[in-house]
Amino acid sequence: MTSPDYSAFTAAVADGPEAACKALEALTKELVGVKLFTLMTADTNARNSERIYSNMPEAYPVSGTKPYNDTYWSDVALKRRETFVANTIEGIAEVFDDHRLINELGCQSVINVPVTVGGEVIGTINCLHETGFYTQERIEAAEALKLPGAICMLLHERGKGERT
C-alpha cells in the first residue's frame, strides 16, 4: 500500500479543529469510503464519550458527553483497541441502540477505528456505509486515519481548554 497524501489534512490543521475534522472526513472518503462519518472522544476512566464531529448533524449532532454501555463493541474497540467491524444491520443492532436510524440513513455496515495515544483510547473514528462495504482492504486502509484522528481529538481537547 502506498502512503496516503496527508497534505490537505496537514494544511487544514492550521485552521483549527473544525477544519481538521472536515479534512479527515475528506481523507476518509478517499481512502476508505464513508456515508455517515463521526468522531467521538472517549474517556475510558469516566466511561463516557463525546461526539465532536458529524457529517450528518441533523441525525447525529455534535453533543455533550454520554455514558457508554459495556457491549461486545466496547470490549473490541475500547478494551482491546481493535477496529470494530459489522457489515450487516443485524450486526450493528447487536451493539448499537440507534440501529433503526442508522438503517434509515442507508447505512448497514460500520467500522469504528480506535484512536490511541500513550496506550489509552482517546476516541473512535466512526465510518458507516451500505451492507458489506467494509472489506478487509478498506479496514486495513483505515489504519492510516489513526494519526490524523488523534490530531483532531487533541485539537478539540486543546480548544476546550481555551474556551473555559
Side-chain angles (χ1 to χ4, degrees), residues 19-140:
C21 290
K22 285 182 188 288
L24 177 56
E25 177 190 353
L27 183 64
T28 302
K29 285 180 179 177
E30 177 186 327
L31 294 179
V32 180
V34 68
K35 282 186 179 183
L36 171 58
F37 176 80
T38 68
L39 296 174
M40 302 281 292
T41 59
D43 182 336
T44 54
N45 293 322
R47 300 173 51 80
N48 63 38
S49 60
E50 176 185 9
R51 186 177 303 111
I52 64 168
Y53 182 83
S54 172
N55 72 342
M56 293 186 187
E58 305 80 27
Y60 285 96
V62 172
S63 59
T65 61
K66 66 178 185 176
Y68 54 78
N69 298 326
D70 276 326
T71 64
Y72 175 68
W73 177 88
S74 59
D75 185 50
V76 172
L78 302 177
K79 293 178 185 164
R80 296 186 345 222
R81 294 173 264 182
E82 298 171 0
T83 296
F84 175 84
V85 181
N87 265 313
T88 65
I89 195 62
E90 293 81 11
I92 291 172
E94 289 178 13
V95 293
F96 296 125
D97 292 337
D98 57 345
H99 59 90
R100 286 184 182 87
L101 175 57
I102 290 169
N103 194 43
E104 288 172 11
L105 294 171
C107 299
Q108 299 83 28
S109 64
V110 64
I111 57 172
N112 304 109
V113 181
V115 175
T116 306
V117 173
E120 296 281 329
V121 174
I122 64 167
T124 58
I125 301 167
N126 310 304
C127 307
L128 294 96
H129 216 295
E130 62 198 29
T131 300
F133 187 79
Y134 292 110
T135 63
Q136 189 60 38
E137 182 180 3
R138 288 184 169 116
I139 296 164
E140 290 170 10

Side-chain angles (χ1 to χ4, degrees), residues 145-161:
L145 304 174
K146 289 181 174 184
L147 180 58
I151 292 168
C152 288
M153 292 171 194
L154 293 172
L155 281 171
H156 173 77
E157 284 302 309
R158 181 174 182 212
K160 281 173 44 176

